Amino acid sequence: MDRENRDLNEKLNKYFPGRVVRKDLTQKIKEGANVPVYVLEYLLGMYCATDDEDSINEGVNRVKAILAENYVRPDEAEKIKSKIRELGQYTVIDKLTVRLNEKRDIYEAEFSNLGLKGVEVEADYVKKFEKLLAGGIWCILKIQYYYDEELRNANPFIINSLKPIQIPNLDMDEILNGRKHFTKDEWIDILLRSVGMEPTQLEEKVKWHLLARMIPLVENNYNLCELGPRGTGKSHIYKEISPNSILISGGQTTVANLFYNMNTRKIGLVGLWDVVAFDEVAGITFKDKDGIQIMKDYMASGSFARGKELKNASASMVFVGNINQSVDVLLKTSHLFEPFPEAMAYDTAFFDRMHCYIPGWEIPKYRPEFFTHEYGFITDYIAEFFREMRKRSYGDSIDKYFRLGNNLNQRDVIAVRKTVSGLVKLIYPHGEFNKEDIEEILRYALVGRRRVKEQLKKIGGMEFYDVHFSYIDNETFEEEFVSVPEQGGDKLIPEGMGKPGHIYTVAHGDSGMIGVYKIETEVVSGTGKFERTGLGTSREARENLNTAFNYFKANKKNISGAISLNNNDFLMHVQDLQGIGMTSQLTLAAFIALCSGALKKPVLSQLVVLGSMSIGGTINKVEELASTLQVCLDAGAKKVLLPMASAADINTVPPELFSKFQISFYQSPEDAVYKALGVE
């Protein structure tokens, strides 16, 4: 392994001299100085861009000395100010934010650590480095001190020179020609090392997820979502690695800050940064009511209207947050977008704009061995390369070999093409790849988008029915389907026979969503009592079960003479399996459950009973039949019991959905009992 690493390090130093740095040096110094990685590596690239050990040690000491002398620690701000005054001039490294003081018609700088405000900045610097006005940038500054008795109001601190800590120019040909000397796997390893990760410690799929995190940095208007456990480095890349991305922590923001300020007539963060990332999505709130609407508009088209104008911007949107339960639980009880705030959590139009969903739960929690000690590109160099790649597009790179299947609508196609384009820019920036290479990328893109679509189907029902994504080979015309790993086996309705008195039904809950409910009935010796549990405060559900029990008492003879009421107690428990709130459509299913329990005969395996009934035994048809059957399918049902009254609605159900079930129609409650128990 070491031999391979050594060879790769030598190759990197050979083809990219002065552009690489040993990443463990960054870590060593990082612990002592709280500066972003790109600031450190800018300095390390200046003094340690070599593989000679002595020169490296000398360079590291030089960088440490620069940081020790010139980096301003917030607690030493007064000491540094005094130095500037006593020496007349001093060099500092600090983060600078600039605003226009319109009363005095000058630009004024604020120093993040030094704590100085109102220091005049020449307009030329502001024109050259616009980001000073938005969020600020790290700079190396020479500051003078001049106090004039007559001008007491003037600030005695003067900025003599200002140099942003960023690589001034980038030769793209150097990267594109250099890339040709590396294999696909080597290049992926270099990219991961450049952001500080050690690829030899990571599984293949994890490497791809970490690459997907970089897509927003190379692709314009790319919307990415990653939710997963804590400590997997979701926001690291947007905060530390790129000087072109900004991380909004805590979530609260305004339309003026994010998009456009009507008063100052200045564009917000989306116009000034390449990536706007929201950390902790659960806390995203807009002070303005129309915030989410404008965001949706922007995510779909890359433009938004404010006042009389239509504004365009190219910033990608990234949403990262934590999932607090296990994925299995989340999938069973709600959907994978649940951590989003309430205003968004059930907004299908918002999530439909997501191009890819990275499964954060597949990325291991960071441990020390995951951080690299080998060579990678200087962070600033790679950030500039990413930025340059935003001007190119590789979305059409699939067309030569593949076509997309007919289940993908226009939004899905755009999403897949964008993800493909982003990954090609990262892995094959020189545009040389073969069919297998592109197929691998295409499969990843399809799965990432299908994961979004699967959740939309859960939230929005039939509108998002078509989730069976596929691609077709242009030569052989073979169609390949992709699946989403977490949608697999764990169904709510298990295979095999259940216990007598246990039955599943699918109905509308109090929340208006369609959910799966399980009724469990225990029959024990007693005096004919009926007890109900699991209903919470739902009065309607309680009445439902009482109706079922009264109907059962009145009509048990029609079912079987063997049913004894006076010698048994009936205990019934209702489970809301998806946590969407109780339902008031339980009567029929409860009646079948009572009969099944009393006869000690289980209902058919993987059966769902649909429909409800009144006290007189009148059967009501199923509302929203197509969506209800879709929920049955997702829950794992194979057989469905349907009221005759719903036969007229079958034309609303897509044929491919209808064909997934063995459907039996019933006319009366008694008929439903026989069919559920498999008695013809």
Side-chain angles (χ1 to χ4, degrees):
M1 199 67 206
D2 287 346
R3 177 81 204 126
E4 278 178 35
N5 284 341
R6 236 185 356 265
D7 289 351
L8 192 53
N9 290 339
E10 280 170 14
K11 266 176 90 172
L12 253 181
N13 272 300
K14 180 180 169 186
Y15 294 112
F16 294 99
R19 305 294 196 191
V20 292
V21 67
R22 231 177 60 210
K23 293 290 171 171
D24 58 330
L25 303 178
T26 312
Q27 283 170 31
K28 276 179 194 163
I29 306 177
K30 175 87 176 116
E31 283 151 18
N34 190 14
V35 291
V37 171
Y38 51 86
V39 173
L40 264 184
E41 293 192 353
Y42 176 82
L43 297 169
L44 286 169
M46 280 170 71
Y47 300 109
C48 308
T50 167
D51 50 3
D52 174 45
E53 205 57 44
D54 293 338
S55 308
I56 284 179
N57 288 333
E58 198 180 305
V60 167
N61 291 331
R62 184 80 197 275
V63 171
K64 281 183 174 171
I66 290 172
L67 284 171
E69 281 182 32
N70 305 119
Y71 169 64
V72 182
R73 293 173 200 282
D75 56 337
E76 292 182 351
E78 292 305 317
K79 189 170 130 188
I80 301 282
K81 282 185 208 171
S82 156
K83 263 192 181 172
I84 302 170
R85 179 180 184 263
E86 300 313 322
L87 298 171
Q89 184 170 314
Y90 193 66
T91 304
V92 298
I93 298 175
D94 200 352
K95 188 176 182 186
L96 217 63
T97 315
V98 173
R99 66 178 196 90
L100 174 66
N101 182 340
E102 45 279 30
K103 288 179 181 164
R104 292 179 61 201
D105 191 30
I106 58 167
Y107 289 103
E108 292 180 342
E110 184 176 337
F111 290 71
S112 173
N113 291 353
L114 198 54
L116 289 175
K117 286 184 179 175
V119 179
E120 190 170 338
V121 181
E122 285 179 27
D124 285 355
Y125 289 129
V126 178
K127 282 176 195 160
K128 248 192 248 164
F129 316 115
E130 279 188 340
K131 278 208 187 126
L132 286 167
L133 295 162
I137 42 183
W138 284 84
C139 307
I140 297 180
L141 304 122
K142 279 189 184 152
I143 301 182
Q144 272 184 327
Y145 187 90
Y146 177 71
Y147 183 77
D148 192 338
E149 279 281 342
E150 289 173 13
L151 298 168
R152 287 191 177 180
N153 293 336
N155 199 317
F157 292 96
I158 301 157
I159 296 173
N160 210 3
S161 79
L162 181 155
K163 187 179 176 192
I165 297 184
Q166 284 180 4
I167 282 179
N169 54 6
L170 177 80
D171 179 5
M172 264 317 270
D173 291 338
E174 177 184 48
I175 288 190
L176 301 180
N177 293 330
R179 166 65 182 91
K180 293 174 183 172
H181 301 285
F182 298 88
T183 64
K184 177 195 88 176
D185 292 329
E186 285 178 336
W187 189 253
I188 289 176
D189 288 1
I190 292 167
L191 285 177
L192 293 178
R193 280 180 184 158
S194 302
V195 298
M197 306 310 294
E198 179 46 64
T200 55
Q201 299 291 321
L202 300 168
E203 290 177 42
E204 193 64 23
K205 66 175 181 186
V206 176
K207 288 187 187 181
W208 279 87
H209 295 331
L210 295 180
L211 281 175
R213 284 179 179 173
M214 302 177 200
I215 299 175
L217 295 163
V218 295
E219 193 64 32
N220 289 327
N221 301 106
Y222 189 77
N223 309 318
L224 179 74
C225 174
E226 180 182 352
L227 302 176
R230 290 169 174 79
T232 55
K234 293 187 287 290
S235 55
H236 169 74
I237 193 163
Y238 310 112
K239 189 171 183 182
E240 294 282 356
I241 302 300
S242 174
N244 307 318
S245 64
I246 188 165
L247 186 73
I248 300 176
S249 305
Q252 188 164 30
T253 183
T254 60
V255 172
N257 177 36
L258 199 55
F259 295 107
Y260 188 72
N261 190 326
M262 302 280 282
N263 298 332
T264 59
R265 302 208 163 261
K266 284 205 172 66
I267 198 152
L269 298 174
V270 293
L272 297 156
W273 297 86
D274 289 352
V275 177
V276 177
F278 291 88
D279 199 6
E280 300 299 339
V281 291
I284 298 177
T285 50
F286 276 96
K287 285 187 175 168
D288 326 63
K289 282 196 176 127
D290 56 351
I292 290 173
Q293 220 39 57
I294 293 175
M295 192 181 242
K296 284 197 298 202
D297 182 17
Y298 173 71
M299 283 164 73
S301 61
S303 59
F304 54 91
R306 290 295 279 156
K308 294 176 183 174
E309 292 177 80
L310 190 70
K311 297 280 176 195
N312 290 307
S314 62
S316 295
M317 293 278 201
V318 176
F319 301 86
V320 296
N322 298 321
I323 287 180
N324 298 321
Q325 306 127 293
S326 79
V327 174
D328 300 346
V329 171
L330 208 58
L331 280 169
K332 281 183 182 173
T333 56
S334 78
H335 55 86
L336 292 178
F337 286 122
E338 201 210 20
F340 276 80
E342 221 166 288
M344 297 174 179
Y346 289 96
D347 187 340
T348 51
F350 174 73
F351 294 127
D352 198 16
R353 288 158 167 75
M354 291 288 177
H355 296 136
C356 182
Y357 185 131
I358 300 176
W361 53 91
E362 290 184 4
I363 299 171
K365 291 198 173 207
Y366 280 3
R367 295 195 303 274
E369 61 265 30
F370 290 163
F371 295 102
T372 189
H373 292 266
E374 308 299 333
Y375 280 85
F377 288 124
I378 296 167
T379 315
D380 209 43
Y381 182 68
I382 197 163
E384 282 305 307
F385 154 57
F386 286 169
R387 187 152 213 202
E388 197 59 35
M389 287 312 286
R390 294 175 80 87
K391 296 173 185 171
R392 307 170 182 223
S393 175
Y394 287 121
D396 56 353
S397 47
I398 51 178
D399 296 343
K400 187 177 170 187
Y401 305 110
F402 303 103
R403 294 185 288 115
L404 295 171
N406 61 359
N407 255 353
L408 284 87
N409 63 30
Q410 186 57 24
R411 272 210 175 127
D412 303 326
V413 171
I414 291 170
V416 169
R417 284 191 183 277
K418 273 186 170 289
T419 308
V420 168
S421 172
L423 285 169
V424 171
K425 286 178 192 181
L426 289 165
I427 307 171
Y428 310 104
H430 54 321
E432 292 173 18
F433 44 80
N434 58 30
K435 186 174 177 180
E436 283 73 38
D437 296 334
I438 212 78
E439 186 169 14
E440 187 178 30
I441 287 175
L442 178 59
R443 286 193 76 91
Y444 186 88
L446 282 162
V447 172
R449 174 64 186 173
R450 182 168 173 182
R451 190 171 284 110
V452 173
K453 206 71 184 282
E454 287 282 0
Q455 308 320 308
L456 286 172
K457 189 174 80 176
K458 282 193 160 180
I459 307 167
M462 281 318 292
E463 188 187 345
F464 302 100
Y465 169 72
D466 39 2
V467 292
H468 299 289
F469 285 7
S470 61
Y471 59 94
I472 300 154
D473 189 314
N474 283 343
E475 284 172 25
T476 62
F477 298 109
E478 278 176 29
E479 190 166 12
E480 284 281 330
F481 286 86
V482 299
S483 59
V484 183
E486 65 274 7
Q487 291 298 127
D490 296 329
K491 298 288 188 188
L492 289 175
I493 303 173
E495 288 181 26
M497 293 298 270
K499 291 181 178 172
H502 287 205
I503 194 164
Y504 293 90
T505 182
V506 169
H508 281 79
D510 294 341
S511 60
M513 285 177 72
I514 302 169
V516 183
Y517 301 88
K518 185 181 183 187
I519 298 177
E520 297 175 3
T521 315
E522 294 295 326
V523 182
V524 295
S525 51
T527 55
K529 283 205 269 309
F530 179 52
E531 285 186 25
R532 311 159 306 274
T533 55
L535 301 172
T537 55
S538 176
R539 191 168 59 85
E540 284 183 319
R542 192 166 283 110
E543 283 173 6
N544 265 212
L545 297 196
N546 288 343
T547 304
F549 190 66
N550 291 336
Y551 190 87
F552 172 65
K553 279 197 299 195
N555 296 282
K556 62 180 188 309
K557 290 278 185 297
N558 301 344
I559 302 292
S560 168
I563 297 176
S564 162
L565 199 68
N566 300 337
N567 306 332
N568 293 318
D569 283 351
F570 295 82
L571 317 172
M572 187 172 275
H573 179 72
V574 182
Q575 258 182 298
D576 169 11
L577 292 179
Q578 291 175 308
I580 63 163
M582 208 26 84
T583 177
S584 56
Q585 295 166 358
L586 290 168
T587 321
L588 182 80
F591 171 59
I592 299 173
L594 286 164
C595 296
S596 162
L599 293 166
K600 296 190 172 42
K601 203 172 162 54
V603 299
L604 297 169
S605 75
Q606 293 179 286
L607 172 79
V608 167
V609 173
L610 298 182
S612 58
M613 69 174 199
S614 67
I615 183 73
T618 309
I619 305 288
N620 304 323
K621 72 172 197 170
V622 179
E623 300 293 326
E624 292 185 60
L625 182 60
S627 302
T628 306
L629 285 174
Q630 183 62 54
V631 173
C632 294
L633 180 68
D634 293 343
K638 294 280 173 37
K639 303 180 185 82
V640 173
L641 217 53
L642 209 53
M644 227 28 227
S646 291
D649 296 341
I650 286 171
N651 59 355
T652 63
V653 182
E656 57 267 42
L657 175 61
F658 197 72
S659 62
K660 293 279 192 322
F661 302 106
Q662 201 180 314
I663 291 190
S664 303
F665 289 100
Y666 62 89
Q667 290 205 320
S668 65
E670 289 79 4
D671 186 24
V673 172
Y674 294 139
K675 283 181 173 152
L677 298 174
V679 182
E680 291 301 327

